[in-house]
Amino acid sequence: MTQTLLKPDLNQTWTVGDVVADQTHPPISRYTLALYAGASGDHNDVHVDIDAAKAAGLPDVIGHGMLTMAYLARAVTTAVPQRRLRRWGVRFAAPTRIGEVLRCSAAVAELVEIDGLPAARLDLKTINRAGEIKLFGEAIVLLADPA
Amino acid sequence: MVGKDAIGRKFGPYVGTVDANRLRFFAKATGETRPEYLDSAAARAAGWRDIPAPPTYPFCLQMLDVADPLDWPKKLGIDIGRVLHGEQAFTYHGDLCAGDVLDFEVEVVDVYDKNSGALSFVVSTLSGRDPAGRLAVEGRQTMVVRNA
């Protein structure tokens, strides 16, 4: 994984528009998907068995959406320590294919307050090399550790 | 097609145990190399009780320890090979670390069709509670079923 971390220690120094994480992952392989199937408990065979994928009308296996979301989680927890992540959500825009290189990024969309604490709303997205959006969403992160 | 009568159905409890070795396997599968996600001592040094479960891990916990990880979609008659993940969200109420045990319950909160029934959307919530019954994590999932 290559990683660009633009503002590692925030101290509330973020401003709207800052890209606070930008990570590119190795190409998705069948091996990656096999590991993820075992590690995640998601045994849906269309992710690991090309015969099952074809029987389901797909040209090949597709990546687990939750693997892509786990990659995006790493971008968020690189931008802020994990316990500052209060809530987040994503939409899966397109399936991931074998060989695709995924790039996950987080940018500051808005500075807000959550329960009286300074926080930020981050815009999140995962794209492939062609720029196709695989996953997008947003996260609410605190700008200091919760009590 | 998934019928509207699925709305309100609850499934579980699915008991999930956060296990350090399984977290290391998850780290390997997701390319995670930061020490606090691999090693208990490093996690404690970073202020955690033990290795933290990564943000998406509650989704795994509802499946990892149960006899059939795809239990509730099958009970709704869904062909799992025709399912796509549409949306997923999480809300956290506290730390979740190796050694923790959560009871998960799934509730179907909405069902609707698009494209004249070609696609069914099944929206469900996931609630994870600690042994004292306190809500630790919530999830919300939209599952898309390709009917045609």
Side-chain angles (χ1 to χ4, degrees):
Chain A
M1 184 188 69
T2 60
Q3 178 172 310
T4 314
L5 178 58
L6 300 166
K7 291 206 176 181
D9 187 358
L10 29 139
N11 293 321
Q12 303 177 35
T13 57
W14 285 359
T15 52
V16 171
D18 284 354
V19 175
V20 292
D22 186 349
Q23 301 178 336
T24 301
H25 295 269
I28 296 289
S29 68
R30 296 173 200 282
Y31 175 68
T32 307
L33 299 184
L35 283 180
Y36 187 80
S40 69
D42 183 342
H43 298 173
N44 187 343
D45 54 9
V46 302
H47 299 301
V48 290
D49 182 340
I50 191 169
D51 300 324
K54 285 180 173 170
L58 301 167
D60 196 350
V61 297
I62 56 173
H64 301 79
M66 291 305 289
L67 171 61
T68 316
M69 192 175 183
Y71 285 163
L72 194 52
R74 265 173 61 204
V76 175
T77 61
T78 302
V80 292
Q82 186 180 329
R83 64 165 55 84
R84 295 187 189 174
L85 172 60
R86 304 318 296 160
R87 59 179 188 264
W88 68 309
V90 302
R91 178 173 294 186
F92 300 92
T96 307
R97 312 288 179 187
I98 296 296
E100 282 192 310
V101 171
L102 299 179
R103 179 177 178 184
C104 302
S105 62
V108 179
E110 188 182 11
L111 296 169
V112 296
E113 257 192 20
I114 300 294
D115 302 330
L117 297 169
R121 182 168 61 81
L122 303 180
D123 272 340
L124 311 174
K125 69 177 178 187
T126 299
I127 59 174
N128 66 8
R129 275 200 169 130
E132 182 190 13
I133 293 181
K134 297 295 184 177
L135 193 59
F136 64 94
E138 59 179 46
I140 299 291
V141 299
L142 299 177
L143 297 183
D145 280 344
Chain B
M1 299 241 312
V2 183
K4 287 259 185 200
D5 56 354
I7 297 171
R9 286 191 67 181
K10 293 181 180 179
F11 301 94
Y14 304 113
V15 181
T17 302
V18 187
D19 176 84
N21 285 318
R22 276 193 168 155
L23 288 179
R24 281 187 275 270
F25 184 18
F26 188 82
K28 177 180 181 182
T30 57
E32 176 62 77
T33 56
R34 288 174 289 177
E36 65 266 37
Y37 288 98
L38 299 169
D39 177 69
S40 296
R44 291 190 191 103
W48 299 96
R49 283 181 279 113
D50 205 321
I51 302 173
T56 64
Y57 203 69
F59 187 87
C60 307
L61 278 175
Q62 61 162 332
M63 301 186 290
L64 275 169
D65 291 332
V66 302
D68 184 353
L70 305 170
D71 175 68
W72 69 265
K74 287 183 181 170
K75 284 178 176 161
L76 290 178
I78 293 170
D79 175 356
I80 205 69
R82 307 194 69 83
V83 163
L84 298 170
H85 209 143
E87 295 179 24
Q88 181 67 44
F90 295 100
T91 301
Y92 310 99
H93 300 287
D95 293 352
L96 184 59
C97 298
D100 291 348
V101 179
L102 291 186
D103 267 358
F104 289 95
E105 183 177 78
V106 172
E107 180 175 1
V108 178
V109 294
D110 200 9
V111 175
Y112 54 93
D113 294 330
K114 282 188 181 175
N115 300 353
S116 306
L119 299 173
S120 291
F121 290 71
V122 180
V123 184
S124 60
T125 57
L126 176 70
S127 307
R129 293 180 184 277
D130 70 15
R134 285 183 299 252
L135 193 59
V137 60
E138 296 171 274
R140 187 179 178 91
Q141 175 186 9
T142 302
M143 180 184 280
V144 185
V145 187
R146 298 177 295 128
N147 296 311

